[in-house]
Amino acid sequence: MAGRNFYTILYVIATAICVGISVYLSYFGYYSHLQELTVFFALLLGILLFGTDMMFRHYRLEGRRVWVPLGFFLVVAVFSWASNYNFLYTSFMERDVAERTVVEQFRTFREDLTATRSALADHPTIREVREERRELERELSNLYQQLTDPVRPGCGQRCRGHVEQIEQLLGERVTDLAVPAVDASAEENEQWFASYRETVISAFEDSVDDEFYEVAGLAERIEQLLSDYADPYAALRREYEDRRRAVVETRGFEVIAQLRNYSADIQRQANALLPRGDEVEHRDIHSRLDNLGEIPLSIRDGFIERSHPGVTAVSSLLALFVDFIPILFAWLIFRPDNRRRMPSKPGFGLKRQGRGRVATP
């Protein structure tokens, strides 16, 4: 009797410890999915596991078939194992998964922004203004060559023709500055050309449609973002440094949220400026690190991508251990009493007699 009671107490304590560990792992393993409801779900799993373990012990002592409690236990154990494995795998692999995810999302972010920059560069307004600017620069260059020709210096007939061509491109007369005389000095020609060129460029920029500056400004912003988010490893180091300084570290990874917000904002602004049919579409910046610890992520990374098979195996075994040990322990130490066969009602076979016992020597 004393031995049986000792093993029973030992079994109950071991089961309570295993179920407690499983509840702890399930809480953090399901938190990314259930948030405030996680504590209730974890407690429910703990009650079902503990109750099933006790039922399995009872069936074992009574000599009854254990398939019913064992089947129910397997159903509960599937949910428990998923959360246990998720928490353990995430704990082992957080930095590795974070690094791979940040590098992947940086690549997506930069590729999408580069494609959007190219689409903006092909905007009709950009092409038109740049072509006009090239023609204007070409005429200014020809004007300068004529003005400073060492054989025939000064602004003669050809030089004045370039001035007229420039004013036609602008659609207005841009200056009342007197064209230097043919016999003007080289210094006077240089000063006049510098003033004239500055006035022409200023008039051209004033005549450009506002849409050009909106498109060009967005392209410059993209350039700045590409420069700011060029190194995923540096961004991840800064992220972890901020997390160490934080009082609570359950927040998501800010760098992924920043990439996602910038990507969505650039897409929205670009599509508002691009012609119909030329809109851009940015890929989703996944929130894998915002919710690092989700079960699908851990299972995919561990069993499909198989980045670290050893970590997957250890996490799986530990996740199974805490749930299955009480069942195996009960199977080992509890068994029905041998004094069990006696006649029963005709047609009903034999039935058991006596109480179960602990399987002690």
Side-chain angles (χ1 to χ4, degrees):
M1 178 64 71
R4 184 177 66 187
N5 290 337
F6 172 75
Y7 277 97
T8 299
I9 294 173
L10 192 64
Y11 172 76
V12 172
I13 293 175
T15 301
I17 293 174
C18 288
V19 170
I21 295 174
S22 185
V23 168
Y24 178 86
L25 298 178
S26 293
Y27 175 80
F28 290 102
Y30 277 120
Y31 188 80
S32 295
H33 299 276
L34 302 178
Q35 300 294 322
E36 292 82 2
L37 296 177
T38 309
V39 62
F40 300 105
F41 195 77
L43 288 175
L44 176 61
L45 284 178
I47 292 172
L48 294 178
L49 285 173
F50 190 81
T52 306
D53 291 335
M54 293 298 105
M55 184 182 297
F56 186 89
R57 168 187 171 275
H58 176 72
Y59 273 52
R60 182 70 173 152
L61 287 173
E62 293 292 328
R64 300 164 61 183
R65 293 184 177 180
V66 296
W67 304 119
V68 173
L70 185 60
F72 184 75
F73 166 80
L74 292 176
V75 173
V76 178
V78 168
F79 292 92
S80 179
W81 174 86
S83 58
N84 295 351
Y85 164 81
N86 179 40
F87 176 75
L88 292 169
Y89 187 84
T90 301
S91 299
F92 292 140
M93 295 292 294
E94 177 182 358
R95 284 185 174 271
D96 182 82
V97 173
E99 179 177 306
R100 285 186 283 118
T101 302
V102 168
V103 170
E104 177 186 350
Q105 299 312 310
F106 259 67
R107 184 184 303 112
T108 299
F109 177 78
R110 292 180 59 82
E111 288 176 354
D112 287 345
L113 260 63
T114 301
T116 300
R117 181 182 58 184
S118 299
L120 292 174
D122 290 335
H123 193 283
T125 300
I126 295 293
R127 292 201 306 268
E128 179 182 351
V129 170
R130 286 180 175 173
E131 181 61 30
E132 292 176 355
R133 178 65 179 261
R134 280 194 293 269
E135 292 181 10
L136 194 62
E137 292 287 355
R138 185 165 51 249
E139 289 298 327
L140 286 171
S141 177
N142 293 336
L143 172 62
Y144 182 76
Q145 290 178 5
Q146 290 293 327
L147 191 66
T148 58
D149 187 348
V151 178
R152 301 181 62 182
C155 193
Q157 183 177 359
R158 289 187 178 180
C159 173
R160 294 172 187 272
H162 288 305
V163 172
E164 293 176 358
Q165 184 65 30
I166 289 172
E167 292 179 346
Q168 287 180 6
L169 290 174
L170 293 176
E172 60 177 315
R173 187 173 183 181
V174 297
T175 180
D176 292 329
L177 292 174
V179 177
V182 176
D183 58 349
S185 66
E187 182 179 357
E188 290 175 337
N189 287 334
E190 290 281 354
Q191 291 177 351
W192 178 84
F193 179 77
S195 299
Y196 181 76
R197 186 182 191 285
E198 181 180 355
T199 303
V200 167
I201 296 301
S202 177
F204 174 78
E205 292 177 348
D206 290 341
S207 66
V208 171
D209 190 82
D210 290 341
E211 185 179 34
F212 169 83
Y213 293 107
E214 292 179 3
V215 176
L218 183 58
E220 291 178 2
R221 186 186 177 199
I222 291 176
E223 289 287 352
Q224 185 62 48
L225 288 173
L226 290 174
S227 175
D228 293 342
Y229 292 92
D231 188 351
Y233 300 101
L236 191 59
R237 287 194 297 270
R238 290 192 299 270
E239 181 76 37
Y240 274 114
E241 184 64 28
D242 292 340
R243 291 168 75 87
R244 281 195 294 270
R245 290 195 296 263
V247 177
V248 180
E249 296 188 5
T250 55
R251 60 183 174 84
F253 277 62
E254 290 185 358
V255 63
I256 296 297
Q258 291 170 0
L259 294 180
R260 183 171 57 252
N261 292 338
Y262 283 134
S263 179
D265 189 42
I266 292 296
Q267 176 182 299
R268 177 183 57 78
Q269 293 186 49
N271 288 337
L273 296 171
L274 291 170
R276 184 182 297 273
D278 293 338
E279 293 90 347
V280 296
E281 183 175 355
H282 290 184
R283 288 164 290 179
D284 180 41
I285 302 297
H286 299 297
S287 58
R288 294 173 67 180
L289 295 185
D290 294 338
N291 299 301
L292 187 65
E294 290 187 351
I295 294 174
L297 172 63
S298 299
I299 292 179
R300 185 182 72 177
D301 195 74
F303 292 96
I304 299 177
E305 297 180 0
R306 293 185 296 234
S307 55
H308 288 79
V311 175
T312 302
V314 171
S315 301
S316 299
L317 289 175
L318 290 176
L320 289 171
F321 178 83
V322 293
D323 289 338
F324 276 87
I325 277 298
I327 294 294
L328 298 177
F329 195 26
W331 193 284
L332 175 67
I333 66 174
F334 297 118
R335 65 181 57 174
D337 199 330
N338 289 329
R339 300 172 302 157
R340 59 181 187 172
R341 297 279 183 176
M342 66 173 291
S344 60
K345 294 181 180 181
F348 288 90
L350 301 177
K351 65 179 181 180
R352 304 180 187 276
Q353 277 287 335
R355 301 184 62 183
R357 64 182 179 87
V358 176
T360 57

